[in-house]
Amino acid sequence: MTSMPASDRIGSYVKRAEQALTMAKNAALKPAGVTTAQYSALLHLSENPGISAAALARLCGVTPPTMNTVLGNLQERGFIERTPHAWHKNVLETRLTERGEAVMRDADARAIRVERAVDDAFSAAERETLRELLSRCADAYDATRTQDAAGK
């Protein structure tokens, strides 16, 4: 037995919420023909045309190799195009194609329905509090990781 039961660990609740979100979005996005990871990439590409794969990976919270796999799949399906950067020939700029924009609009409408359903479960004040608390959780986890990396 451990000295801290699972029911006392905030991380258990954060993970449960993350898993529920992923399952809900996967179900909502399936008719649009994209995965949650692909949708995340399309969403960030729609807001950041020309972004590099490395920068996109950071925005989506995945590793660069994972992002390259996601982008490869999106490119095969004609949803994105990748062209060499004008000055940095080793960097590929990534943009949505017209087809990708259409898929993004459909997927986004579906994802927004999931987000709105969760929003509706909370008052405006509760949503703001939840955002603040989750941000503090992320900051605290980041600080712990930094301390562990420093050997503290």
Side-chain angles (χ1 to χ4, degrees), residues 29-39 42 69-81 96-101 103-104 106-107:
L29 294 170
K30 189 173 184 173
V34 294
T35 66
T36 302
Q38 291 170 339
Y39 165 69
L42 292 172
T69 299
V70 169
L71 292 176
N73 291 332
L74 292 173
Q75 190 170 17
E76 279 179 17
R77 296 176 68 194
F79 297 164
I80 63 166
E81 59 185 10
L96 296 177
T97 62
E98 284 185 32
R99 186 172 178 200
E101 288 173 6
V103 168
M104 169 53 202
D106 179 35

Side-chain angles (χ1 to χ4, degrees), residues 126-146:
E126 288 172 327
R127 283 191 298 275
E128 184 58 32
T129 298
L130 182 58
R131 285 185 197 100
E132 290 172 9
L133 293 172
L134 289 172
S135 293
R136 281 177 42 199
C137 279
D139 292 345
Y141 287 131
D142 285 343
T144 300
R145 185 185 71 233
T146 302

Side-chain angles (χ1 to χ4, degrees), residues 34-56:
V34 294
T35 66
T36 302
Q38 291 170 339
Y39 165 69
S40 181
L42 292 172
L43 175 64
H44 288 292
L45 281 169
S46 72
E47 294 178 351
N48 303 280
I51 192 170
S52 70
L56 186 59

Side-chain angles (χ1 to χ4, degrees), residues 62-120:
V62 299
T63 64
T66 298
M67 182 51 63
N68 280 326
T69 299
V70 169
L71 292 176
N73 291 332
L74 292 173
Q75 190 170 17
E76 279 179 17
R77 296 176 68 194
F79 297 164
I80 63 166
E81 59 185 10
R82 302 178 81 191
T83 56
H85 187 278
W87 302 311
H88 306 287
K89 297 299 179 192
N90 292 336
V91 174
L92 292 176
E93 293 183 323
T94 307
R95 288 183 167 70
L96 296 177
T97 62
E98 284 185 32
R99 186 172 178 200
E101 288 173 6
V103 168
M104 169 53 202
R105 282 191 300 275
D106 179 35
D108 197 42
R110 295 169 185 282
I112 287 170
R113 283 195 290 272
V114 171
E115 296 289 347
R116 288 209 170 116
V118 174
D119 277 0
D120 290 347

